[in-house]
Amino acid sequence: MFHSMAAGAAPDPTVVLRERLALKVISAQKDLDLLPQCYVKLTHGPKKLKTSTASGSTATFDYMCSMEVQKDIPTFHIELRTAGSFGSGHVLGSLEVPMDKLDKFESCMDSIPEGMDFPPNEMRLQLQGKANELIPIHVTIQVCKVTPPKPPYNLKAFIGTWNVGNAPPSDTLESWIVREHIAHAGIVAIGCQECQYEKRGAHKDNEADWVASISKAIGDTHSLLRNDNCGQMRLGIWVRFDVIAGITSAESASEATGLGHVMNNKGGVATVVQLWDTWIAFVNSHLAAHQDKTKRRNEDYCEIAGGIYLGFPNCALLNQFHHCIWMGDLNYRLDLSSEPDIGPEEANKRTPGKPLYDKINALIANKQYSKLLEWDQLVMARKNGEAYIGFEEGTITHPPTFKVERKAGITYKDQRAPAYCDRVMWRSLPYMRGACEHLWAGAEVDSSDHKPVGALLDLGMRPPRPDWWPRQGKDPNTGMARKSVHGEGDVGHSLLSIRHHTHTHDVPELLSWTVDILELRGVGLHPADYNGKSDPYVAFLGDALIEWQFTQVEYMNLDPTWPPATLPSVTMVATSKESFRYEYMVLGCMDYDRIDADDAIGNGVLAIADFVDKLGQEQEFAVDLAHAGLIRGKLIGKLKITEGTPMHMEDFIKKRLAKRSFGPKQSFSCMSMFQKKPDPPAHGGGGHAHSAHGHAASRSKPAIASAASAPEPQGSPRSVSSGPTPPPSPRSKPINLNAPTGTAKPGPPAAAKPPGPPPNLNAPLAITSRAVPFPALQQHPFAQTPAPGPGMHPNFKMWAPGPGFPPNAG
């Protein structure tokens, strides 16, 4: 078990610069279905926010959003507007709020901050309804300034899961959604399955009915951030008012595993949020049912874990987020096939026999839950490495939650053997604390054949970064994606934030560290090609990396060793050495494909805390690679971390903008064929693979060449040459027909060059790194590549069978 770095950590001196507005707009109007669609617009300085449009979906509308505070802007403006195309909506009401009148709170992740019951602002409006009648509406606006939490960085998260049984949820949810636990939770995540029933009252649809029921049970301390669906599965995230200020990204994806792996009656939906720079993934899933379908349930888990891609490109759920919380009706049953008095045949019946049913109920009556868990299929799958590798679960002290009578209390039906189908688990990165404080079942909920399960988790958080730090993901207020995976869509805002929100003397220079990868080899990598092999390369990713780096491709190899001279140097930055200790570097192992998109074959993570105390020394590392939720191989190597030159924040943000591609492929467009060809580099112009900040290697694109023509490394031991420039073609220079004819005086004869070795036409193709200026990447992809190797069409780089082309690679 890894210990947490958060406990007793010193605060980062730069985070005091970060203040955010938290805005909450509520209407208690009961007939919103008569109102036009409306939204809230918040303006503060150069940035504007529009919350999502809502009307008629619930009995109240409840907006929450957040925005960075800029010190030199004295007021901000709130408008309630009707929705309309191309700005045709009109203002329903507005409010001007002076910044110096706002209450200020420190975000508290494990309890409600003191003094949060401040007097709200109010707007009383006359809105024109859909039938053109005037409807009075009372709008309450709460707004405050929120600063980041202080050490120790703790987050209490309330997690709930419930198979609703396709029936309207009960009004008595207090035994499941316990208000005492809600009061300590900064964030609430509720997942449900089989949530399809006839809507009630004035709700717009079934989803609105469900959200209203859960919101009522939670209370007015938390508001809905988002609700995401996959078929009859729903995943809602509710956050407390002071916590919304720290959420800077939220996005979702889903994976269906039902009939034909297309139907979404089974599958999973995931939502990832960034809270004060701590990434948390929530997954709600519904796996295959029935006693004898353990293998199918394991496969469903692998399909969900390997099919949902959020966060870094080509990286699945595991080994990239600080915490991954998994809930749902996982449908794992109790397997008594090893019991002499039961046997495999009786144990695998869908309808249990009386001896098996009575045996389980006798243990339940005596509260011998630990004995039941010895037969639990999920516990055995985790122990055998077949599913949920690395996940943890709280101590189960409640009876099985399936299959029960639809009434208060727990009475089992004899149609199925009682089982712990409904579960909550979590998986945290090294040194990030994760613990379960409480785990219970809502025994008094009476509307389903499953009893819901709740858990209160205590999660560690990393120290918050400054607000101007470029971030990836989607804006939680608008749902709009950043313009690139590196967060460069927020670069303009980051630069404005530096110039308007801070002063030069307020922000220290960023400290930098160079991570030299000295040795790297793979062991037992996942085979991605039909020949049972892979063409692996490794991507080095991370929020603190200036630029992402890549190794060369090693063809048709599941145990590759990358040449030391071709390995990259990675530059990482942080606001302080203590903050650098909390950083991680994600190692994404990819299978190179010449035609299709590259396939992910596993990703792992390096915790900088393992190496930061031995700067300047060579250190070994071993990283397990997670692929489709299981461990599929590992990366082993050596690295050395040295302190670099401090960097100004604007330089860091602009360098983040410079990175445009992912992976070793050359970008190509038809227009690039007509662009001016850049001047070729000088002899040996491949230069060094690593500059002072490591961007030469990351901007270089590997070229395709035969192994016979690949040159030996030149210069320093950690440099890669681009190879000799091919001799010009006789037709590469135009003939001057007007040149005067005459006899030129012959010069001395040129010295004869010794013949080189004959080319090896059977050598496998290799990718070598070339350090070229960034604009060259947008040129014709053959402008600076070496001469085409065997199997490569000389004009358009079309692949054709040849003696040098690996017949089964890619």
Side-chain angles (χ1 to χ4, degrees):
M1 180 69 64
F2 292 99
H3 68 277
S4 171
M5 297 181 292
D12 191 327
T14 63
V15 300
V16 297
L17 299 169
R18 188 173 186 183
E19 281 184 359
R20 293 185 66 83
L21 290 172
L23 174 70
K24 185 174 183 179
V25 183
I26 307 171
S27 169
Q29 190 70 24
K30 299 302 182 184
D31 52 358
L32 279 181
D33 55 325
L34 302 177
L35 299 178
Q37 286 194 329
C38 51
Y39 65 88
V40 176
K41 181 179 179 182
L42 175 65
T43 306
H44 178 60
K47 192 174 182 182
K48 299 178 181 179
L49 284 183
K50 267 175 55 175
T51 69
S52 56
T53 303
S55 175
S57 58
T58 62
T60 64
F61 68 78
D62 187 345
Y63 296 115
M64 284 210 313
C65 61
S66 62
M67 175 183 279
E68 167 213 358
V69 173
Q70 296 183 6
K71 293 182 178 180
D72 55 347
I73 308 296
T75 63
F76 70 93
H77 189 72
I78 304 171
E79 291 180 357
L80 182 65
R81 302 175 62 96
T82 59
S85 302
F86 304 105
S88 60
H90 60 278
V91 178
L92 301 172
S94 64
L95 190 66
E96 196 82 16
V97 181
M99 295 295 299
D100 57 358
K101 300 296 183 182
L102 293 180
D103 293 299
K104 184 175 179 179
F105 300 94
E106 177 189 321
S107 183
C108 189
M109 299 291 102
D110 56 359
S111 62
I112 298 176
E114 295 183 5
M116 280 293 288
D117 296 328
F118 51 87
N121 298 280
E122 297 181 351
M123 285 195 296
R124 295 185 180 274
L125 311 171
Q126 290 278 340
L127 272 67
Q128 185 174 357
K130 295 180 180 179
N132 293 324
E133 75 275 20
L134 291 178
I135 300 175
I137 184 170
H138 179 203
V139 178
T140 299
I141 298 176
Q142 293 178 334
V143 62
C144 69
K145 290 187 290 187
V146 180
T147 60
K150 294 179 180 178
Y153 302 104
N154 298 327
L155 170 67
K156 296 293 178 60
F158 182 104
I159 311 298
T161 179
W162 185 24
N163 185 315
V164 183
N166 291 327
S170 169
D171 292 330
T172 58
L173 301 178
E174 295 83 1
S175 63
W176 172 39
I177 301 180
V178 182
R179 289 287 182 90
E180 180 184 353
H181 297 326
I182 292 289
H184 292 284
I187 189 167
V188 177
I190 303 291
C192 67
Q193 311 83 37
E194 295 186 13
C195 186
Q196 190 66 46
Y197 54 87
E198 191 70 26
K199 71 180 183 68
R200 300 169 292 181
H203 297 295
K204 181 180 179 181
D205 51 25
N206 165 255
E207 178 184 354
D209 187 323
W210 163 256
V211 169
S213 296
I214 301 301
S215 297
K216 179 182 177 181
I218 292 174
D220 57 5
T221 57
H222 295 67
S223 296
L224 181 69
L225 175 69
R226 60 184 296 142
N227 184 67
D228 297 293
N229 306 308
C230 177
Q232 297 181 5
M233 291 167 280
R234 310 197 190 284
L235 177 58
I237 308 294
W238 285 259
V239 294
R240 206 172 55 229
F241 180 42
D242 62 304
V243 175
I244 183 63
I247 294 182
T248 53
S249 178
E251 55 185 318
S252 179
S254 62
E255 178 76 11
T257 64
L259 183 63
H261 301 275
V262 174
M263 301 297 293
N264 55 16
N265 62 313
K266 296 292 189 292
V269 55
T271 299
V272 175
V273 299
Q274 187 182 30
L275 174 61
W276 296 115
D277 294 299
T278 298
W279 287 95
I280 308 174
F282 301 94
V283 186
N284 173 36
S285 66
H286 192 187
L287 308 186
H290 300 308
Q291 180 75 35
D292 56 343
K293 298 298 182 182
T294 306
K295 182 179 178 182
R296 177 60 190 272
R297 283 187 279 274
N298 296 341
E299 292 172 351
D300 285 353
Y301 155 75
C302 292
E303 186 173 349
I304 296 168
I308 293 180
Y309 287 88
L310 294 167
F312 292 116
N314 296 317
C315 288
L317 286 171
L318 306 188
N319 283 346
Q320 62 162 320
F321 303 115
H322 294 97
H323 303 284
C324 180
I325 301 170
W326 200 300
M327 70 202 83
D329 177 6
L330 307 186
N331 259 320
Y332 286 95
R333 311 301 172 92
L334 300 179
D335 184 2
L336 278 68
S337 59
S338 60
E339 294 298 302
D341 56 336
I342 301 297
E345 183 177 353
E346 185 68 23
N348 287 322
K349 289 182 178 180
R350 295 187 179 181
T351 301
K354 191 173 187 303
L356 185 148
Y357 183 80
D358 290 344
K359 184 170 185 173
I360 293 176
N361 274 276
L363 293 173
I364 294 173
N366 294 324
K367 297 185 178 181
Q368 294 182 275
Y369 306 131
S370 59
K371 178 61 177 178
L372 293 176
L373 291 170
E374 292 178 5
W375 301 323
D376 184 72
Q377 294 173 342
L378 176 56
V379 171
M380 290 188 283
R382 290 167 54 198
K383 187 181 299 183
N384 297 333
E386 298 169 342
Y388 294 97
I389 305 300
F391 279 85
E392 299 179 66
E393 187 175 21
T395 302
I396 295 179
T397 58
H398 59 79
T401 56
F402 174 82
K403 179 177 179 107
V404 299
E405 299 281 355
R406 295 180 186 246
K407 62 181 182 180
I410 297 182
T411 304
Y412 296 100
K413 292 184 176 182
D414 58 6
Q415 299 170 342
R416 297 288 185 268
Y420 290 102
C421 291
D422 310 282
R423 312 292 274 267
V424 174
M425 294 178 290
W426 73 94
R427 190 180 196 270
S428 302
L429 290 184
Y431 299 102
M432 294 303 293
R433 182 186 62 261
C436 181
E437 293 190 351
H438 301 281
L439 181 64
W440 68 95
E444 301 306 310
V445 178
D446 57 7
S447 56
S448 173
D449 58 355
H450 289 249
K451 296 299 180 181
V453 170
L456 184 64
L457 303 184
D458 182 17
L459 305 175
M461 299 177 62
R462 61 149 291 132
R465 295 188 178 101
D467 199 53
W468 41 261
W469 194 280
R471 292 171 171 86
Q472 61 177 348
K474 291 186 178 181
D475 191 305
N477 302 303
T478 64
M480 299 298 292
R482 313 285 188 188
K483 291 183 180 179
S484 76
V485 297
H486 238 130
E488 289 84 1
D490 209 28
V491 166
H493 160 61
S494 298
L495 294 175
L496 283 173
S497 176
I498 293 171
R499 294 160 185 164
H500 293 283
H501 165 55
T502 64
H503 302 284
T504 304
H505 63 274
D506 291 333
V507 185
E509 288 186 311
L510 292 174
L511 304 180
S512 70
W513 290 264
T514 299
V515 183
D516 292 310
I517 309 299
L518 305 176
E519 296 179 9
L520 184 64
R521 63 187 179 92
V523 178
L525 302 184
H526 173 68
D529 298 333
Y530 64 87
N531 62 354
K533 300 289 185 180
S534 288
D535 305 322
Y537 67 91
V538 179
F540 298 85
L541 317 170
D543 287 329
L545 274 65
I546 293 181
E547 295 173 318
W548 295 348
Q549 308 278 348
F550 312 93
T551 67
Q552 71 177 23
V553 178
E554 294 293 324
Y555 285 97
M556 301 177 64
N557 201 334
L558 300 182
D559 300 288
T561 297
W562 284 271
T566 66
L567 295 175
S569 285
V570 178
T571 300
M572 304 180 68
V573 296
T575 53
S576 66
K577 186 174 181 179
E578 182 60 29
S579 180
F580 182 57
R581 183 181 296 273
Y582 285 81
E583 298 295 349
Y584 296 86
M585 183 160 57
V586 175
L587 276 58
C589 197
M590 304 293 298
D591 172 62
Y592 180 79
D593 197 302
R594 296 175 177 84
I595 301 175
D596 299 327
D598 296 346
D599 301 316
I601 56 177
N603 56 283
V605 65
L606 280 176
I608 297 300
D610 286 330
F611 310 100
V612 71
D613 293 328
K614 297 182 179 179
L615 296 179
Q617 302 180 29
E618 293 187 9
Q619 303 179 66
E620 297 181 349
F621 66 87
V623 176
D624 288 330
L625 297 178
H627 175 73
L630 303 179
I631 302 302
R632 305 286 180 89
K634 63 173 54 181
L635 294 175
I636 301 173
K638 291 183 180 180
L639 59 76
K640 182 173 69 173
I641 301 179
T642 55
E643 293 189 31
T645 305
M647 177 181 301
H648 193 272
M649 71 220 42
E650 287 200 31
D651 296 334
F652 161 63
I653 295 172
K654 290 176 181 178
K655 289 179 185 299
R656 291 286 291 266
L657 180 63
K659 187 64 182 175
R660 291 293 188 183
S661 60
F662 180 87
K665 283 189 171 68
Q666 282 273 19
S667 59
F668 174 76
S669 67
C670 293
M671 293 302 298
S672 66
M673 299 177 65
F674 303 97
Q675 295 178 359
K676 181 181 177 181
K677 178 179 176 181
D679 295 332
H683 181 67
H688 297 292
H690 317 288
S691 64
H693 294 296
H695 16 89
S698 67
R699 291 186 181 181
S700 63
K701 293 284 186 172
I704 307 294
S706 66
S709 63
E712 293 293 327
Q714 299 178 8
S716 67
R718 297 184 55 77
S719 65
V720 180
S721 172
S722 61
T725 304
S729 168
R731 299 184 60 182
S732 63
K733 188 175 182 180
I735 301 175
N736 186 358
L737 299 178
N738 298 318
T741 59
T743 304
K745 185 177 180 180
K753 295 183 178 180
N760 181 4
L761 299 181
N762 295 318
L765 296 174
I767 286 188
T768 58
S769 179
R770 298 181 296 113
V772 296
F774 176 73
L777 300 182
Q778 304 301 324
Q779 308 302 322
H780 191 284
F782 324 122
Q784 294 199 12
T785 55
M792 189 190 304
H793 194 283
N795 295 328
F796 294 99
K797 213 174 187 176
M798 299 289 288
W799 292 97
F805 182 75
N808 297 320

